[in-house]
């Protein structure tokens, strides 16, 4: 089933992403909303096909988990790729991460929305 | 449906982008034993075709084979769906198997979640114990138990389910056929109401 071998060799995902550590990574969650920055800037020629595919897929708002599903890559790998692209200004975070529990006013809005169904 | 495939950039479904107005997201976890209806519930409310991702997790074979003390890696699929609520909030529903050996996978998911829908099949109540134990041990997330009324399954009063599962005080119990959207929406509404109640009560419950 698996011809792309990175899942068998965790080290490879590190290599794929340049092996850098970035603080942005800690703020990215599966539900974090992302959107490609549309400023006409092109990725450098050295960028990988996964990076290009990510920016192409995210030309409208999507959560990180959705990106991973469309790209058929593990969430953990997309976190690393996305944080690099954010730090380089190609990708932007649309939503603020919710830590601990979501605030009461946000929950109330969710409830109001659910009741409309 | 995006199923696992080897070619990362191969053609797949066109991405269903959110409306440009959406700038906030929340998530609810849907956990339960195998075949209990997680995918069904998520599919009943999702506005997009179900998506899934695969994660590699390392499982220590605790207690199973002490002599060899092996570690192995398994691939676990996580199903999820999405529904836009109100004008600008995306609600994500992440479905994961709830057993202990999958804890690593949903540990990363639990942070920041509104709460957890715990799906229960009354024909196999004991399978829910491990899931509930894991939740109580590792998180303080608000729970709502959803009894999936499979055909031919015995019907139990919510009170009986509550005591059989020894649920934390105040944990709502709802039931119904999860293939029906109104039942699935009701489960979500009940959980969010419960989460809100806990917050406004000043998170008194430890
Ligand atoms: N009669 C009845 N069948 C149901 C109901 N909910 C789910 N099912 C069926 O039960 C089967 C299992 O449901 P799933 O939603 O795939 O369960 P799951 O928890 O996602 O299963 P895994 O991902 O394999 O752990 C499917 O064939 C569903 O059609 C229900 O409320 N009533
Ligand atoms: Mg499933």
């Amino acid at each position: 089933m698996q011809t792309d071998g990175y899942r068998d060799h965790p080290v490879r995902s590190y290599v794929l992403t340049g092996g850098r550590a970035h603080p942005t990574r800690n703020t990215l969650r599966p539900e974090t909303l992302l959107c490609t920055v549309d400023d006409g800037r092109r990725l450098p020629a050295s960028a990988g096909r996964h990076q290009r595919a990510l920016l192409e897929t995210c030309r409208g708002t999507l959560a990180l988990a959705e990106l991973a599903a469309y790209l058929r890559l593990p969430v953990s790998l997309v976190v690393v790729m996305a944080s690099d692209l954010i730090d380089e200004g190609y990708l932007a975070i649309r939503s603020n991460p919710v830590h601990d529990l979501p605030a009461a006013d946000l929950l109330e809005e969710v409830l109001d929305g659910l009741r409309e169904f | 449906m995006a199923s696992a495939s080897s070619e990362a950039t191969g053609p797949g479904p066109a991405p269903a982008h959110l409306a440009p107005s959406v700038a906030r997201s929340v998530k609810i976890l849907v956990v339960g034993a195998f075949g209990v209806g997680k995918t069904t519930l998520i599919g009943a409310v999702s506005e997009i075709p179900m998506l899934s991702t695969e994660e590699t997790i390392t499982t220590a074979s605790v207690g199973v084979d002490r002599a060899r003390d092996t570690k192995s890696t398994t691939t676990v699929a996580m199903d999820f769906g999405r529904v836009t609520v109100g004008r600008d909030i995306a609600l994500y529903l992440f479905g994961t198997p709830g057993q202990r050996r999958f804890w690593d996978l949903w540990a990363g998911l639990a942070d920041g979640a509104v709460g957890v829908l715990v799906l229960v099949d009354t024909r196999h109540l004991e399978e829910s114990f491990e899931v509930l134990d894991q939740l109580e041990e590792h998180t303080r997330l608000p729970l709502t138990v959803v009894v999936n009324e499979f055909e031919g399954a015995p019907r139990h009063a919510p009170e009986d389910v509550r005591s059989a599962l020894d649920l934390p005080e105040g944990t709502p119990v709802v039931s119904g056929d999860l293939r029906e959207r109104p039942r699935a929406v009701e489960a979500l509404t009940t959980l969010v109401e419960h989460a809100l109640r806990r917050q406004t009560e000043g998170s008194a419950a430890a």
Side-chain angles (χ1 to χ4, degrees):
Chain A
M1 188 175 99
Q2 204 73 56
T3 63
D4 203 347
Y6 62 85
R7 274 172 241 204
D8 305 318
H9 306 283
V11 163
R12 221 188 110 198
S13 66
Y14 189 71
V15 175
L16 263 175
T17 51
R20 293 178 299 273
H22 287 291
T24 312
R25 248 174 242 182
N26 304 327
T27 69
L28 294 179
R29 312 223 178 281
E31 73 279 13
T32 304
L33 303 182
L34 302 169
C35 192
T36 297
V37 174
D38 186 18
D39 63 357
R41 223 158 44 97
R42 294 287 197 82
L43 272 175
S46 59
R49 68 187 167 102
H50 290 313
Q51 274 81 0
R52 292 181 193 285
L54 192 156
L55 291 182
E56 190 59 38
T57 307
C58 214
R59 286 174 161 278
T61 308
L62 287 176
L64 187 131
E66 290 176 292
L67 267 176
Y70 289 125
L71 297 169
R72 294 164 182 170
L73 295 171
V75 168
S76 50
L77 174 57
V78 175
V79 164
V80 177
M81 291 199 317
S83 65
D84 283 354
L85 290 167
I86 290 164
D87 291 342
E88 290 157 11
Y90 293 104
L91 188 69
I93 300 180
R94 283 278 283 151
S95 59
N96 290 318
V98 172
H99 288 293
D100 206 15
L101 291 174
D105 52 353
L106 178 56
L107 293 180
E108 259 158 30
E109 285 187 59
V110 172
L111 255 187
D112 289 344
L114 283 173
R115 286 176 179 142
E116 285 167 19
F117 291 147
Chain B
M1 193 181 286
S3 59
S5 156
S6 52
E7 186 48 42
T9 52
H17 294 124
L18 284 157
S21 58
V22 179
R24 290 182 290 173
S25 62
V26 290
K27 69 182 160 190
I28 285 174
L29 311 191
V30 181
V31 306
F34 291 116
V36 79
K38 301 180 291 292
T39 303
T40 303
L41 184 148
I42 296 168
V45 281
S46 183
E47 69 192 10
I48 56 168
M50 289 284 283
L51 294 171
S52 84
T53 63
E54 287 190 350
E55 297 298 311
T56 302
I57 58 165
T58 307
T59 50
S61 44
V62 184
V64 179
D65 194 357
R66 282 272 174 76
R68 289 179 56 206
D69 191 25
T70 50
K71 274 192 172 182
S72 58
T73 57
T74 3
T75 307
V76 189
M78 177 180 76
D79 283 339
F80 66 98
R82 173 189 96 195
V83 62
T84 303
V85 290
R87 202 184 66 87
D88 68 348
I89 303 170
L91 167 60
Y92 287 90
L93 302 172
F94 291 108
T96 63
Q99 291 86 342
R100 178 173 46 206
R101 64 186 181 284
F102 300 124
W103 170 252
D104 275 358
L105 175 70
W106 45 297
L109 275 178
D111 184 42
V114 171
V116 187
L117 289 180
V118 183
L119 269 54
V120 166
D121 179 348
T122 50
R123 296 168 301 178
H124 308 282
L125 215 49
E126 69 291 346
E127 288 176 2
S128 309
F129 296 160
E130 188 177 340
V131 175
L132 286 162
D133 283 349
Q134 286 303 294
L135 285 165
E136 276 176 37
E137 189 175 320
H138 296 289
T139 81
R140 294 194 50 233
L141 291 173
L143 311 180
T144 290
V145 167
V146 184
V147 178
N148 199 355
E149 290 185 343
F150 289 96
E151 275 127 43
R155 300 288 183 263
H156 299 283
E159 290 322 308
D160 297 341
V161 174
R162 183 173 287 115
S163 64
L165 291 175
D166 193 18
L167 295 176
E169 180 77 20
T171 305
V173 177
V174 297
S175 59
D177 187 330
L178 297 179
R179 293 168 300 182
E180 293 168 13
R181 192 167 196 253
R183 293 286 80 71
V185 171
E186 183 195 14
L188 292 172
T189 308
T190 305
L191 173 62
V192 181
E193 281 169 350
H194 178 52
L196 195 55
R197 215 177 303 125
R198 281 223 336 202
Q199 284 228 349
T200 50
E201 280 165 7
S203 60

